[in-house]
Amino acid sequence: MLRVYCDFNDGTEDGRYWILWYDGKRLEEQAAQLGLKEGERVLLYQDEGDFEVEATLLFKQTHEYFLGKKLCALVDDSTFRRL
């Protein structure tokens, strides 16, 4: 499962959708190269938070914050774990 960085400062107020980064670039810029598809699961982390959580990639968003953006992730809170 691909492990990607999530930026708490670039997401929705409820924390359910985040913009993701991989290898220093926005994940949406690399999605095709990495072979990522709609609905694929990824593992999110955030350095300061010291946690991991699984999320589902969304390429077709309906949330108003992400309209016009190419990709975001919907977090599965049941998979949250502290490191």
Side-chain angles (χ1 to χ4, degrees):
M1 186 178 302
L2 186 68
R3 190 170 185 257
V4 297
Y5 181 78
C6 59
D7 186 350
F8 282 144
N9 297 318
D10 203 355
T12 57
E13 288 182 10
D14 61 10
R16 295 183 67 214
Y17 298 87
W18 292 325
I19 289 178
L20 308 176
W21 298 81
Y22 181 76
D23 198 23
K25 298 178 188 169
R26 285 176 67 137
L27 185 61
E28 67 185 37
E29 297 171 9
Q30 305 171 74
Q33 294 170 318
L34 294 168
L36 299 176
K37 297 176 177 53
E38 176 85 13
E40 190 159 344
R41 303 280 281 184
V42 294
L43 189 62
L44 306 185
Y45 74 96
Q46 216 262 349
D47 294 333
E48 298 81 24
D50 198 28
F51 75 90
E52 290 182 338
V53 63
E54 291 180 26
T56 303
L57 294 180
L58 302 174
F59 288 85
K60 299 172 186 151
Q61 303 84 4
T62 57
H63 193 286
E64 65 275 4
Y65 185 83
F66 284 98
L67 290 179
K69 294 195 170 63
K70 295 178 185 173
L71 177 138
C72 71
L74 176 59
V75 173
D76 179 355
D77 288 327
S78 69
T79 64
F80 180 89
R81 55 196 163 268
R82 289 241 174 246
L83 301 177

